Amino acid sequence: MKIVETEQELRACYPVMKELRPHLPSEDAFVAQVLRQYEQNYRILAVWEEDAVVALAGYRYQENTVYGRFLYVDDLVTAEQHRSHRWGALLLGKLTVFAQEARCARLVLDTAFTNVQAQRFYFREGLLPGSMRFGKVLA
């Protein structure tokens, strides 16, 4: 498990991220977007088996008046053929350590109401729902 640092490592993350974010148009677009997000302190922590990424978590440190300082998990995904190997739990555990070391008050993530499988996983890992997020698409 390591923090992704190079463009080559980012490219290795794309197939796994594409499973979670199928709207990503291409590997090049993914790399460009992540590099922009790096300017907002976004990072990817990836689990590797040999030369392939099998699971990853995209995260960033944030601060607001709701939570104070917190670690926000943008993305958490394990490649389909590698699920049920506890990679997600391992990533969440490491992110929890990162958050504690950074003196964060919380670890926060969002999931769709329809993503029942993820919700079961989050409950099992000790995450509890704390709010409901509202939004609207802007053209």
Side-chain angles (χ1 to χ4, degrees), residues 104-139:
C104 292
R106 290 179 179 255
L107 182 144
V108 178
L109 58 79
D110 294 315
T111 192
F113 283 121
T114 57
N115 195 347
V116 176
Q117 186 176 9
Q119 292 167 22
R120 279 194 298 256
F121 168 72
Y122 298 140
F123 279 117
R124 194 170 55 244
E125 295 305 314
L127 283 79
L128 300 172
S131 65
M132 189 182 317
R133 179 174 282 181
F134 289 88
K136 66 179 172 180
V137 176
L138 304 175

Side-chain angles (χ1 to χ4, degrees), residues 58-62 70-74 107-110 133:
Y59 67 97
R60 65 184 88 216
Y61 298 99
Q62 296 183 329
F70 64 101
L71 187 146
Y72 183 77
V73 181
D74 292 62
L107 182 144
V108 178
L109 58 79
D110 294 315
R133 179 174 282 181

Side-chain angles (χ1 to χ4, degrees), residues 73-91:
V73 181
D74 292 62
D75 315 290
L76 181 62
V77 61
T78 299
E80 186 172 2
Q81 67 271 25
H82 294 278
R83 291 186 185 148
S84 298
H85 291 93
R86 303 289 296 156
W87 295 126
L90 183 70
L91 285 164

